[in-house]
Amino acid sequence: MTRPDPSPTTVFAPWDDPDEPPLIRFDNVTKRFGDFTAISGLTLDIYAREFFALLGPSGCGKTTLMRMLAGFETPSEGVISLGGQDIGPVPPNKRPVNMMFQSYALFPHLSVADNIAFGLKRSGNMTRQQISARVDEMLELVQLGKFGKRKPHQISGGQRQRVALARALAKAPKLLLLDEPLAALDKKLRAETQFELMDIQEKLGTTFVIVTHDQEEAMTVASRVAVMDHGRLVQVATPERIYEFPNSRYVADFIGEVNLLDGAVLRKTKAGLTISWAEGQPPIAAQGPEDLQKGANCTFAIRPEKITISSDKPEGCANALSGRVLDIGYLGNISTYHVELANGQVIKAQMANNRRLSRRAFSWDDEVWLSFTDSAGVVLTA
């Protein structure tokens, strides 16, 4: 069983309850396509009412996992269970699972209402009145009550996405699978729709599993995230845990912006670690794993927003590095400064643009100091 790492905050959630059985269990699942192993010995629990994200680069195995849940692929080894039942032998149309495809796959000749009703009519176990009532309920859920008679080409891309979602939810599945559902939307609409998905999932209590390669999307919508690489789970935890406490260099580098400084433990005391990392640079004071010994190789990972930029050398700070502003990225709410140190290494630091200025706080070629506390970064050994 793969459980999330202990969280620094205590929040009730299904996976925190030892008596809560998982809704979905991957038990030592392997999937091969000829000589290629897409999934290797994977064990994972997903709980009822979760909004769970499978995150990773192309080819990492996340879509294969989803297709096995949907029934489009079968495991080469291992068992996938849903609600305690092995679903390996169960055909896709008999599973309490529905899937929302990236392309939406709407029928162009059917109205919005008829697209939503399609699966209900095919099931054959609802009356015409029941189907009509369910369609109206779904239209209201996705805020498309006025668009039921329109065809897909008569509504916007964001509205088509909502129709596809309503159709997928109409049969009240135990599990909804979302395959890159927002990839076709522009950035602003995608951000708005992420929160709409979260609201709908919370309102219905349906378990959502989303596949995405967009780190920001996964971190926004998901209650837990599984970071994958080459068919294996690298880390499964809450978004804040993965961002603030990555368990490996791979996760730290894949999720958001980060500075990775390779070094070795110079000293170890009760107060923390001292890391030697670059010739001519002062050692870094950090908090690290208790089992890390003197001389051990490690990587110090620190996010750009954890670093303070100043013109003068800060007093009484655990860590201070001097350098020259090499480049600046202005993003409106924040600016990212690329600062070159004396040894040629470039460190990224961010500063919030919290007031309007006639000029930037710092400019190109300015001599600056970068400072951070001993708890601002994470010491990684993997």
Side-chain angles (χ1 to χ4, degrees), residues 182-183 185-194 214 217:
L182 310 181
L185 305 182
D186 63 66
K187 182 176 177 60
K188 186 173 182 179
L189 183 57
R190 187 163 63 246
E192 293 173 357
T193 308
Q194 288 169 1
D214 186 327
E217 181 171 285

Side-chain angles (χ1 to χ4, degrees), residues 84-95:
Q85 176 191 2
D86 179 5
I87 58 173
V90 181
N93 63 323
K94 299 295 184 182
R95 299 184 182 194

Side-chain angles (χ1 to χ4, degrees), residues 27-38:
D27 188 3
N28 200 29
V29 171
T30 295
K31 177 61 182 178
R32 302 185 187 89
F33 296 96
D35 294 334
F36 174 70
T37 301

Side-chain angles (χ1 to χ4, degrees), residues 249 261-266 275-278 295-300 380:
R249 184 187 178 103
L261 310 178
D262 295 322
V265 178
L266 185 63
I275 299 172
S276 173
W277 65 283
N297 293 327
C298 61
T299 298
F300 181 74
L380 306 171

Side-chain angles (χ1 to χ4, degrees), residues 83-214:
Q85 176 191 2
D86 179 5
I87 58 173
V90 181
N93 63 323
K94 299 295 184 182
R95 299 184 182 194
V97 177
N98 219 334
M99 188 167 184
M100 180 178 163
F101 295 94
Q102 182 177 338
S103 64
Y104 307 152
L106 299 178
F107 297 106
H109 62 288
L110 297 181
S111 68
V112 165
D114 286 338
N115 265 283
I116 296 172
F118 184 82
L120 300 175
K121 292 177 180 178
R122 297 265 299 186
S123 67
N125 56 8
M126 296 179 71
T127 66
R128 183 177 299 177
Q129 290 76 15
Q130 288 172 326
I131 291 174
S132 179
R134 183 62 175 170
V135 169
D136 289 343
E137 182 185 348
M138 290 296 100
L139 285 170
E140 290 304 315
L141 179 69
V142 297
Q143 302 176 30
L144 291 176
K146 298 179 180 179
F147 298 88
K149 295 182 179 180
R150 295 192 185 183
K151 299 290 180 64
H153 72 274
Q154 295 174 317
I155 58 178
S156 69
Q159 289 168 336
R160 288 195 290 272
Q161 187 268 348
R162 293 186 197 177
V163 175
L165 177 62
R167 183 179 62 182
L169 290 169
K171 294 177 68 175
K174 287 185 179 180
L175 172 65
L176 179 65
L177 307 176
L178 302 106
D179 182 17
E180 303 275 5
L182 310 181
L185 305 182
D186 63 66
K187 182 176 177 60
K188 186 173 182 179
L189 183 57
R190 187 163 63 246
E192 293 173 357
T193 308
Q194 288 169 1
F195 285 96
E196 290 177 1
L197 278 176
M198 293 164 63
D199 290 341
I200 290 171
Q201 190 271 338
E202 185 175 354
K203 184 182 296 184
L204 295 178
T206 304
T207 302
F208 282 19
V209 175
I210 185 171
V211 160
T212 181
H213 64 271
D214 186 327

Side-chain angles (χ1 to χ4, degrees), residues 45-363:
D45 287 347
I46 301 174
Y47 292 80
R49 304 180 302 281
E50 277 202 84
F51 200 138
F52 194 89
L54 296 170
L55 175 66
S58 298
C60 72
K62 58 188 186 297
T63 299
T64 300
L65 273 187
M66 176 172 281
R67 289 179 60 83
M68 287 193 290
L69 271 176
F72 303 143
E73 302 288 351
T74 56
S76 303
E77 297 174 13
V79 174
I80 303 175
S81 57
L82 176 63
Q85 176 191 2
D86 179 5
I87 58 173
V90 181
N93 63 323
K94 299 295 184 182
R95 299 184 182 194
V97 177
N98 219 334
M99 188 167 184
M100 180 178 163
F101 295 94
Q102 182 177 338
S103 64
Y104 307 152
L106 299 178
F107 297 106
H109 62 288
L110 297 181
S111 68
V112 165
D114 286 338
N115 265 283
I116 296 172
F118 184 82
L120 300 175
K121 292 177 180 178
R122 297 265 299 186
S123 67
N125 56 8
M126 296 179 71
T127 66
R128 183 177 299 177
Q129 290 76 15
Q130 288 172 326
I131 291 174
S132 179
R134 183 62 175 170
V135 169
D136 289 343
E137 182 185 348
M138 290 296 100
L139 285 170
E140 290 304 315
L141 179 69
V142 297
Q143 302 176 30
L144 291 176
K146 298 179 180 179
F147 298 88
K149 295 182 179 180
R150 295 192 185 183
K151 299 290 180 64
H153 72 274
Q154 295 174 317
I155 58 178
S156 69
Q159 289 168 336
R160 288 195 290 272
Q161 187 268 348
R162 293 186 197 177
V163 175
L165 177 62
R167 183 179 62 182
L169 290 169
K171 294 177 68 175
K174 287 185 179 180
L175 172 65
L176 179 65
L177 307 176
L178 302 106
D179 182 17
E180 303 275 5
L182 310 181
L185 305 182
D186 63 66
K187 182 176 177 60
K188 186 173 182 179
L189 183 57
R190 187 163 63 246
E192 293 173 357
T193 308
Q194 288 169 1
F195 285 96
E196 290 177 1
L197 278 176
M198 293 164 63
D199 290 341
I200 290 171
Q201 190 271 338
E202 185 175 354
K203 184 182 296 184
L204 295 178
T206 304
T207 302
F208 282 19
V209 175
I210 185 171
V211 160
T212 181
H213 64 271
D214 186 327
Q215 300 97 322
E216 184 177 332
E217 181 171 285
M219 300 287 282
T220 299
V221 304
S223 52
R224 278 197 304 155
V225 178
V227 182
M228 298 186 64
D229 183 38
H230 292 93
R232 298 180 182 275
L233 295 175
V234 184
Q235 186 172 4
V236 182
T238 59
E240 61 268 26
R241 186 75 193 181
I242 282 181
Y243 186 82
E244 299 290 354
F245 300 95
N247 66 358
S248 66
R249 184 187 178 103
Y250 173 82
V251 174
D253 194 27
F254 187 73
I255 303 293
E257 294 283 343
V258 70
N259 298 289
L260 298 171
L261 310 178
D262 295 322
V265 178
L266 185 63
R267 287 186 298 276
K268 180 181 179 181
T269 67
K270 291 182 179 180
L273 304 174
T274 303
I275 299 172
S276 173
W277 65 283
E279 186 176 351
Q281 293 295 328
I284 293 171
Q287 302 295 319
E290 292 183 359
D291 58 350
L292 200 58
Q293 300 301 315
K294 180 180 177 179
N297 293 327
C298 61
T299 298
F300 181 74
I302 184 166
R303 304 289 183 185
E305 72 274 12
K306 312 292 187 187
I307 300 175
T308 300
I309 314 174
S310 58
S311 299
D312 301 319
K313 184 176 182 179
E315 297 295 332
C317 188
N319 299 287
L321 308 171
S322 63
R324 176 181 65 89
V325 176
L326 186 66
D327 209 350
I328 304 170
Y330 176 76
L331 299 176
N333 59 329
I334 61 171
S335 290
T336 300
Y337 294 86
H338 293 228
V339 178
E340 184 179 32
L341 307 183
N343 67 335
Q345 187 156 0
V346 175
I347 303 292
K348 287 180 283 188
Q350 289 179 339
M351 177 180 289
N353 300 319
N354 51 18
R355 58 178 178 168
R356 298 180 67 183
L357 299 173
S358 58
R359 65 180 296 274
R360 300 180 191 276
F362 301 99
S363 191

